[in-house]
Structure formats: structure tokens, C-alpha cells
Amino acid sequence: MPDTAPSTSVATHCPYCALQCGTRLGHDSRGTVVEPTDFPVNDGRLCQKGWTAPALLDVPDRLRHPLVRDADGRLVPADWDTALDTVAARLLRIRDEHGPDALAVFGGGGLTNEKAYLLGKFARLALRTSQIDYNGRFCMSSAAAAGTAAFGLDRGLPFPVGDLGAADAILLAGANPAETMPPLMRHLEGADLIVVDPRRTRTAERAALHLQPVPGTDLALALGLLHIAVSDGWCDKEYVQERTTGFDTAWRRAVTWWPERVERVTGVPVAEQRAAVRMLGEARRAYVLTGRGAEQHSKGADTVAAFINLALALGLPGVAGSGYGCLTGQGNGQGGREHGQKADQLPGYRMLTDPAARAHVADVWGTDPDTLPGPGRSAYELLDALGTEGGPRALLVFGSNPAVSAPHAAHVCDRLASLDLLVVADFVPSETARTADVVLPVAQWAEEDGTMTSLEGRVLRRRRLHHPPDGVRTDLDILHGLAVRLGEPADRYPTDPRLVFEELRRASRGGRADYSGISYERLDAGEALHWPCPENPDGQPHPGTPRLFLDGFAHPDGRARFAEVDHRDPAETTDAGHPLYATTGRVLAHYQSGAQTRRVAELNEAAPGPFVEIHPDTAERAGLREGDPARVTSARGTTVARVRLVGSMRTDTVFLPFHYPGPGRANLITSTALDPRSRMPEFKVCAVRIEPGTDAS
């Protein structure tokens, strides 16, 4: 860590979602305080989570020294040398006995670009393992697979957030920004909103039209909307002919999804289907946006592809003032997967199986490309393999809490418990950290420098307000310390984020996510730089690319691809023993697994414990009333929660937020079925029964 003095006030960004609202941090008599800045995405506004973010820095149970599990099974304080020596020695022993793929790494979509980059490098060089993935696999992987196939490039929003403010109509498929990223809603105020969601969310309440499909039928609905767009004359034939390919094969699938059939499958009335397409078709400027509700399915990539097909048929992508985009969830969900912590990718969004990509990155790293391991297991497959024959025997976790956030969470906890070594780097004793053999306390967002990449592909500076507490180190320091103990050259793992970013620039040069023209100096000067931002050969600074695809898509022929997709049922459908669908999601007060927000008093008071939303008629049939404890059971397990009666719920569906630990974990019941393309688990639909319970703690 450089020895520069801390600042009294810094311009930085909120530590939560991918909107990355602009903030200014400072000190006053209350301690660390935050104020919103006039940044384009939030224009001087913050949500409740952003306003309370400084409270995270001083939560009572913050980790302030390493912990090592002793012979009696207790986590006891240790000094840093002891902790790192212990980890390194056990990693070496496991690798010697079982091979390099017995070591694994699980990262996070909240890590800075520098940390994500160095973590991928550490896994592939210091550990020599192919077994690295991250929790972003649970977030945006389906949209990434579909977007790459359609456009040749995956960036959440290929246009600035501010462009949405001029839209006439916006379709939100499976997104609830009124709760997940509230400052975004001001950009949607002038548009007619069409919301696709089984629940009447806060966002749906503000919509001009709410389409409420049966969980797991979004793909059928998207096919039906394409059918109407073509048959009712809303298709932009000139755009399709000049800028796309594959329409005929996509239409052969959609032609069988006439409106009445779609209504039978999805429950969405024909009149509402036609109204949605008409609103988009009549708009001068329109957008189709997807979120986790459309993506977290065993057919999530195909579902997103079907909504992209609709956008292409309407002539929206690559047109100024219109388009398709994905509302990324985690703070660095975009940059976190671009630079090497995803199982199949190298920095710059290069594919690990590409010989040229391997050669380029190996040259930057100073190693032989043949020594780089190949692709490893995806996130859930990695967790599922822990401790099994041929699976990893040791796991290092950075910036994630899979004990709460992974599907079939009880099984995942069993797999974590079976490891020879579990190491967790975190700033609080998360549910995963409490089961670890070694816990390493790390700096918080206000205590480190670095960069983040927002949902619009804009690279942002995270600036340090003050040093971390004594006894706490940065993730870069930890990776450096471990790498040296594993025999790596010290200069291969810088602890200064600026030096790491300079190397990241070189590693990304020429890749799809090219950051080579971006520097700390340009960012600190206030330039708005969206990738790709290559380093120009003539030395002139590249302005970045705020709007992609205006001159052509990223495929060699410049055309976007329609996808040939068809609807299929979710992996699990209802039956007599499990007659209801359960879906999961977020609430306004909490973020991800809740490890951070559950420790902020104001947020925890707003949403203090697990609950299940259920229609009053469904509750009555189950013998449940408002506030009763209920047991929600799937084929994988049971979660317990308090009943909330919601008259707008579908009678065949219940909803649970996934922020809570213990017996109230929603992911105790969620499905492990994976999308064959993205390897995304099917979080959003599983078959359950609900009955009176005795404990909702």
C-alpha cells in the first residue's frame, strides 16, 4: 500500500449496485459522512443504502485481525505472518498431494477491477489452477451469453444511463429498479413503462402496463411479443434486412407462438400482449431492458435472446436514442468478469481457449502460454465439486458469501465443510467466514483506491478517504503475501492498485474490453471513459465509446444475429406435493446476501427478517394468516418465514427475498438446474408447498 496521506474529503462512488452513484466522503463530528454528487446516473440523489453506507466502516463485529482455527475448532486471533504462512503451507501440501486443480478460488462481482485482475492472475500462476469462478455467474451470465451471441460484444448497457431519460417507451423484463437501484427510476419517468414480472413490484406499480406471467414462462411471452410485432406490422423490415442476419430461423420458432397460445401458457391476456408491442412500436425512442428475473433460469440465455430478437425486429439496438440493455446487479458485475476471475476468460474479455489470447496475456505476465491452465468449472459446479473425488480440496473466497447466496445452500455448506482448507477474505464474519479455517480481514471501499466499471461500461475511480484500521490489509496485499510464500516473484503481484491497473491496461490491449487507453490520470482529470477505449497508435487519447454499435455490431460482418430459440418448461414444475411456484429477489433495504446491509441498524429495521409474500386466497387454503410463521418446502429443503399477505400476488406463486441467513435462507429451496450456455442456476422458479410453521427466526 502506498504511504500517501489520507484525504479529508474524496469524490468516489457508492459501494453497492452497478449504478455506481457518485458520492463525496468526508469527516465531521459524526464520523465518516456521505453526500451525493451531481453525477450523471444519480444527479445528487442516493437510495437508503447509499446514504447509510458509512455505517459499514464501523460495524461492531468488523474483523480487525486474522483468525485461524485451532485444534479445538475455535477461530482464534493470529498475526498476519502466522495466518499467511498457515494458508501457504497447507495450499502447497494439498497441491503436492492432489495436483493444482485441488486448489480453487471463488471471487466476487464487487471486487475492484484491480482485485479481480490480480485474483485471476494469482489463481492461474501462483496456484496454477483452472478452478476459479465468481458470484457474477449468478448475476449476469445469461445476458452476457445472449448479448455476445447477438452483438459480438457483451456490455450491460451499450449506451449511457442518461439516454433512457429521452425514451418514449421502455420494456423492463424481470427488473425491479425501484427497489434494486432507485436512482435509476428518475431516468425512466418520462417513458411509458412496460414491466414483465410475476409480482406487482414497486416498479410494476409505476408502470403503464404490467404483464404478470407464470414464473418460468418469460421465454414464451417474448416469443409471443415477437410474433405480434411481425404479424401486426411493427417489424422494421429495412433495419432487419440491412443490419441483422438469422431472422428467418428465429421467425420459424416465433410463428408458432400466436397470442392465444401465449396466453394459455403465460397467463398474460392477448390484449395486454398487443398493447405492449403497440407501445414499443409507436414510440420514436424505445428500449428493451432485461434483469435477473428473465435471466436466472435454466433457459435464461435463450430468454434474453428472445427479448433481443424482439428489440432487433423493432429496429432498436445500435440506433441513437433506442436499444437493448441489461441492468447489471453487482457494483462491479461488468468489470469483475472482464479481467480474469471468470472460469473461461482472461483479461480484456479474452477467451481462455483462444491461442492468441493466451499468448498475449502470457507475454504480459512473463510466462509461457502453455503453462496457463484451461477453463475450469462454473460457479455452482465448482461449489458442488468441493471435497469430492477429483474436486477441489481447498477454496479461497474473496468478496462473496456462498453459504447464503448459492442455490441449494445447505448442500453448498456441506461441501464447504468437507474441504481440507477454507480461506475467506472479508471485512465482517459472514456466514461463509464463520465456517472457514482461516479468515483474513480486508479493507472496505472507503479505505482503498481502485477502479470500478458501471453497468453502462464507464470506468470509475474509487478513492481512498482514510487508511484501514490497524490489523486490516487490502486484498492486493493478501494476494502479494500469499504469492510470495508460494514461490512467485514479488514484483509479479503489486500492492499499489495504480501499478496493477497499468498492467491490466496492457493485458486488455486489443481485447473486446480494451482498457489500454484509460489511465488514472485521465479518470482523475474527470474524463468520462467507457470501454472499449484503446490506446491510439498516434498517441492521441481515445475518447472512449459511450454508445456501441452505431456504425455496426461487433461481428465480422457488422450485423447482429437473431437467435433461434423456443420455449421449454422450467427444470421443475408443480405437482400435487409441491403445487406452488416460488420465486426469489431483493428488497429495497438489503443488498445481495445481506452480509453488509443486515449490519446497518436503519436498514435492518426496515426489513428485519425473512418473509414470504403470498396471495390471501392461497394463504387461506394453507391455513395461514398475516404474520404467521410458514414453512416453504421444495425438493431440496425447507425455509421458514413470516407470512405477508399481498393481494396482487399470483395465486400460484410465492415470493421470498434471499438476503437472510440461517433457517430463513431462501436459497435452501432454490433449484440447481443450470442453463446449458451460461451455467446460470435457476434461482427464479422452483416448485414448493407452503404450510404453517413454528419458527421464522
Side-chain angles (χ1 to χ4, degrees):
M1 180 190 304
D3 288 328
T4 55
S7 300
T8 57
S9 174
V10 295
T12 187
H13 296 270
C14 179
Y16 290 114
C17 80
L19 203 58
Q20 286 293 285
C21 293
T23 63
R24 178 163 289 278
L25 288 179
H27 297 287
D28 69 9
S29 59
R30 296 167 292 174
T32 304
V33 293
V34 64
E35 294 289 339
T37 60
D38 192 26
F39 191 66
V41 299
N42 60 305
D43 283 341
R45 305 181 187 189
L46 288 177
C47 74
Q48 187 181 24
K49 292 187 290 292
W51 278 112
T52 59
L56 294 172
L57 302 172
D58 297 306
V59 292
D61 62 345
R62 180 167 183 183
L63 298 168
R64 296 176 183 271
H65 45 70
L67 303 172
V68 176
R69 199 169 295 278
D70 66 12
D72 295 325
R74 299 171 302 174
L75 281 172
V76 298
D79 61 71
W80 273 99
D81 282 339
T82 298
L84 295 179
D85 288 347
T86 298
V87 173
R90 294 176 70 175
L91 289 173
L92 288 170
R93 184 168 66 249
I94 291 168
R95 188 171 67 185
D96 288 345
E97 293 176 359
H98 302 283
D101 277 356
L103 311 181
V105 175
F106 198 84
L111 301 179
T112 63
N113 290 317
E114 293 80 1
K115 291 189 283 190
Y117 171 83
L118 206 66
L119 188 62
K121 180 181 180 181
F122 172 84
R124 294 180 173 103
L125 294 190
L127 298 182
R128 304 201 300 270
T129 183
S130 67
Q131 301 301 301
I132 175 172
D133 211 73
Y134 80 128
N135 64 12
R137 180 76 69 169
F138 300 158
C139 177
M140 200 180 153
S141 57
S142 291
T148 300
F151 308 125
L153 189 68
D154 156 44
R155 199 177 85 188
L157 295 186
F159 47 79
V161 166
D163 286 3
L164 296 170
D168 302 302
I170 299 174
L171 185 147
L172 296 173
N176 181 21
E179 296 197 70
T180 59
M181 46 181 65
L184 179 68
M185 293 302 292
R186 74 158 199 89
H187 297 283
L188 311 181
E189 289 172 353
D192 286 334
L193 287 186
I194 306 156
V195 172
V196 179
D197 200 304
R199 300 171 60 223
R200 189 159 182 80
T201 62
R202 295 192 187 192
T203 306
E205 288 173 352
R206 298 169 65 171
L209 180 63
H210 177 204
L211 309 182
Q212 201 167 6
V214 175
T217 64
D218 301 63
L219 178 49
L221 178 60
L223 288 162
L225 297 179
L226 176 60
H227 181 111
I228 292 171
V230 175
S231 61
D232 287 10
W234 298 111
C235 181
D236 187 335
K237 295 180 181 179
E238 182 178 354
Y239 174 99
V240 169
Q241 183 175 357
E242 294 180 357
R243 301 202 59 186
T244 75
T245 186
F247 171 79
D248 289 342
T249 56
W251 174 241
R252 277 200 295 270
R253 297 293 187 181
V255 74
T256 66
W257 287 94
W258 56 90
E260 292 76 14
R261 183 188 180 198
V262 172
E263 179 175 345
R264 288 197 300 271
V265 172
T266 69
V268 177
V270 170
E272 294 182 2
Q273 298 174 47
R274 293 192 186 279
V277 177
R278 182 176 65 253
M279 290 165 64
L280 292 170
E282 290 179 344
R284 291 174 300 161
R285 296 172 296 273
Y287 292 87
V288 173
L289 306 177
T290 60
R292 303 300 81 72
E295 299 156 18
Q296 289 179 324
H297 294 273
S298 59
K299 54 181 182 298
D302 285 356
T303 301
V304 175
F307 281 108
I308 292 175
N309 284 351
L310 173 65
L312 290 172
L314 295 171
L316 306 182
V319 174
S322 294
Y324 161 79
C326 166
L327 297 179
T328 314
Q330 295 191 79
N332 201 30
Q334 184 71 54
R337 72 178 178 282
E338 293 167 1
H339 299 300
Q341 63 172 335
K342 193 162 176 275
D344 56 354
Q345 289 178 191
L346 289 169
Y349 220 134
R350 289 179 159 92
M351 302 312 295
L352 193 53
T353 53
D354 178 0
R358 294 169 65 88
H360 174 86
V361 174
D363 181 63
V364 173
W365 287 353
T367 192
D368 184 339
D370 291 338
T371 66
L372 296 180
R377 297 175 174 91
S378 72
Y380 180 75
E381 290 166 306
L382 189 157
L383 296 172
D384 184 46
L386 297 176
T388 64
E389 184 68 29
R393 306 296 313 174
L395 178 68
L396 282 69
V397 179
F398 287 79
S400 189
N401 188 18
V404 175
S405 63
H408 199 358
H411 172 70
V412 168
C413 287
D414 287 343
R415 303 286 12 106
L416 292 169
S418 73
L419 288 166
D420 296 338
L421 175 67
L422 174 61
V423 181
V424 176
D426 210 329
F427 77 97
V428 293
S430 70
E431 288 69 29
T432 305
R434 289 172 185 161
T435 69
D437 299 292
V438 180
V439 181
L440 304 174
V442 294
Q444 262 275 37
W445 97 104
E447 302 158 353
E448 61 182 5
D449 282 299
T451 60
M452 306 283 279
T453 304
S454 72
L455 79 169
E456 59 181 12
R458 178 168 170 165
V459 182
L460 305 167
R461 278 281 276 121
R462 172 176 282 183
R463 295 181 178 88
R464 179 166 57 89
L465 176 66
H466 53 238
H467 289 304
D470 290 342
V472 173
R473 296 188 179 181
T474 70
D475 298 80
L476 299 183
D477 287 319
I478 291 170
L479 292 173
H480 173 90
L482 287 175
V484 170
R485 287 168 170 80
L486 294 170
E488 286 283 285
D491 60 359
R492 186 174 269 178
Y493 300 88
T495 60
D496 182 346
R498 188 179 296 262
L499 295 179
V500 178
F501 190 81
E502 286 301 305
E503 184 177 303
L504 181 158
R505 293 175 62 195
R506 299 195 303 274
S508 74
R509 182 178 293 124
R512 286 185 286 183
D514 191 335
Y515 283 37
S516 61
I518 302 173
S519 66
Y520 273 39
E521 290 74 20
R522 294 186 71 185
L523 296 174
D524 287 342
E527 292 190 60
L529 298 175
H530 301 71
W531 71 263
C533 183
E535 190 173 47
N536 282 332
D538 61 7
Q540 295 299 310
H542 190 283
T545 315
R547 295 172 183 85
L548 291 168
F549 313 137
L550 297 181
D551 299 321
F553 296 97
H555 290 296
D557 61 3
R559 291 172 175 263
R561 270 66 168 147
F562 278 88
E564 183 181 3
V565 295
D566 205 352
H567 175 69
R568 57 187 182 274
D569 287 337
E572 192 170 88
T573 56
T574 57
D575 56 30
H578 302 88
L580 302 173
Y581 287 113
T583 189
T584 64
R586 284 172 50 186
V587 298
L588 177 63
H590 288 306
Y591 180 70
Q592 301 302 93
S593 75
Q596 299 172 76
T597 51
R598 283 186 275 110
R599 288 174 163 80
V600 177
E602 180 180 328
L603 300 178
N604 209 39
E605 289 169 7
F611 61 87
V612 54
E613 292 184 353
I614 183 171
H615 190 279
D617 292 348
T618 309
E620 184 177 5
R621 288 194 296 270
L624 293 165
R625 297 174 298 178
E626 177 75 24
D628 283 353
R631 294 166 51 85
V632 185
T633 301
S634 75
R636 286 155 299 283
T638 297
T639 186
V640 291
R642 295 282 175 184
V643 168
R644 285 190 183 177
L645 301 180
V646 179
S648 62
M649 285 293 295
R650 294 182 56 93
T651 57
D652 59 0
T653 302
V654 299
F655 166 79
L656 303 102
F658 61 82
H659 310 292
Y660 301 101
R665 279 176 292 174
N667 280 319
L668 291 169
I669 65 172
T670 47
S671 173
T672 60
L674 302 181
D675 183 294
R677 296 167 60 193
S678 68
R679 315 310 290 168
M680 168 77 82
E682 192 154 58
F683 287 102
K684 289 302 184 193
V685 57
C686 65
V688 300
R689 66 176 178 270
I690 187 166
E691 55 201 343
T694 57
D695 182 19
S697 61

